[in-house]
């Protein structure tokens, strides 16, 4: 399936005058589709049929801080809905299944700037949930979530426990599918130990 994704993406790029691979933004992937940002559009690649279609206009790039356009680790998808945000954790854009956008511009307030975090959808609220990342000369070890009612990012309240993950960046954050747990896989940290499972029932409440 990855080969199909690459072949169709490369084919589209070659047919698009004045565009190169450097213009591509690899956005999230679901079991059925992969999303790609290219110039002024977001495209949906159907991983079953191989069809590549324009899904929505790409958000106004002035919403995002310089050199922090959304990437695969600063975006999440559920079905045909997308959440995109500034890769240093700032402005947020929600794109619904019809391609309509709702913008939540970054306002003054606490900063959660970090790069290369991992992200998924909160298992209950279905809003962006981010862990770790690197910023201010150190890796992070806490979760932040997006509150769409307030249009703000907030740190989660925590309950310390034996499953607390180590500070890290990169890696993967995956839903367990039981509306409660998420899995933290891999990543880079100053420690050699990698905690593979985060259980928000008995350690941190997300």
């Amino acid at each position: 399936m990855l080969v199909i994704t690459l072949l169709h993406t490369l084919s589209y790029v070659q047919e698009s005058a004045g565009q190169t691979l450097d213009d591509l933004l690899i956005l999230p992937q679901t079991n059925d589709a992969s999303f790609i940002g290219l110039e002024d559009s977001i495209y949906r690649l159907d991983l079953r049929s191989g069809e590549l279609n324009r899904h929505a206009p790409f958000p106004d790039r002035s919403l995002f801080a310089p050199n922090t356009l959304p990437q695969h680790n600063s975006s999440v998808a559920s079905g045909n809905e997308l959440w995109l945000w500034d890769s240093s954790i700032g402005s947020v854009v929600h794109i619904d299944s019809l391609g309509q956008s709702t913008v939540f511009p970054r306002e003054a307030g606490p900063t959660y700037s970090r790069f290369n975090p991992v992200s998924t959808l909160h298992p209950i609220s279905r809003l962006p949930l981010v862990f770790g990342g690197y910023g201010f000369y150190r890796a992070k070890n806490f979760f932040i979530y997006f509150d769409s009612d307030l249009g703000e990012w907030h740190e989660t309240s925590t309950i310390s426990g034996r499953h607390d993950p180590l500070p890290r960046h990169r890696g993967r954050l995956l839903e367990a599918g039981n509306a409660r747990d998420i899995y933290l896989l891999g990543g880079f940290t100053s420690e050699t130990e990698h905690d593979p499972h985060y259980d928000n029932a008995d350690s941190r409440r997300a």
Side-chain angles (χ1 to χ4, degrees):
M1 207 55 75
L2 178 59
V3 172
I4 293 175
T5 301
L6 291 174
L7 286 176
H8 280 271
T9 300
L10 288 171
S11 175
Y12 180 84
V13 171
Q14 289 172 348
E15 293 172 3
S16 302
Q19 295 173 339
T20 69
L21 286 175
D22 291 337
D23 298 316
L24 282 175
L25 293 174
I26 305 302
L27 300 174
Q29 181 173 312
T30 66
N31 291 335
D32 300 316
S34 182
F35 294 90
I36 301 160
L38 185 61
E39 291 296 319
D40 62 350
S41 299
I42 293 175
Y43 294 87
R44 181 185 183 277
L45 178 65
D46 190 303
L47 297 179
R48 300 183 187 279
S49 68
E51 293 183 2
L52 181 70
N53 296 301
R54 186 175 187 269
H55 181 64
F58 195 87
D60 183 346
R61 296 180 183 229
S62 66
L63 287 168
F64 309 111
N67 302 314
T68 64
L69 289 176
Q71 301 287 345
H72 69 279
N73 57 3
S74 56
S75 53
V76 288
S78 178
N80 287 326
E81 292 192 35
L82 281 170
W83 289 91
L84 312 173
W85 57 91
D86 179 313
S87 64
S88 67
I89 316 297
S91 297
V92 177
V93 178
H94 175 240
I95 300 174
D96 67 21
S97 59
L98 299 177
Q100 302 298 309
S101 297
T102 302
V103 176
F104 302 88
R106 181 170 186 164
E107 304 291 347
T111 177
Y112 291 103
S113 294
R114 79 272 302 275
F115 293 89
N116 296 316
V118 290
S119 57
T120 188
L121 290 172
H122 191 291
I124 299 173
S125 71
R126 311 305 296 162
L127 294 171
L129 178 69
V130 175
F131 174 79
Y134 190 87
F136 297 103
Y137 307 103
R138 65 186 181 91
K140 312 293 186 180
N141 70 335
F142 57 89
F143 286 86
I144 59 172
Y145 67 95
F146 184 69
D147 185 325
S148 61
D149 291 332
L150 298 176
E152 298 174 348
W153 293 95
H154 293 280
E155 184 176 346
T156 59
S157 58
T158 61
I159 301 174
S160 297
R162 60 190 178 86
H163 292 303
D164 285 1
L166 297 170
R168 71 187 69 204
H169 55 101
R170 300 185 188 276
R172 296 291 301 274
L173 197 59
L174 303 174
E175 292 184 71
N178 60 6
R180 187 191 70 177
D181 301 334
I182 52 178
Y183 291 87
L184 177 61
L185 307 176
F188 296 89
T189 175
S190 58
E191 304 292 338
T192 57
E193 181 182 358
H194 291 268
D195 301 319
H197 179 243
Y198 161 68
D199 181 345
N200 68 20
D202 64 8
S203 61
R204 296 192 173 197
R205 304 285 176 179

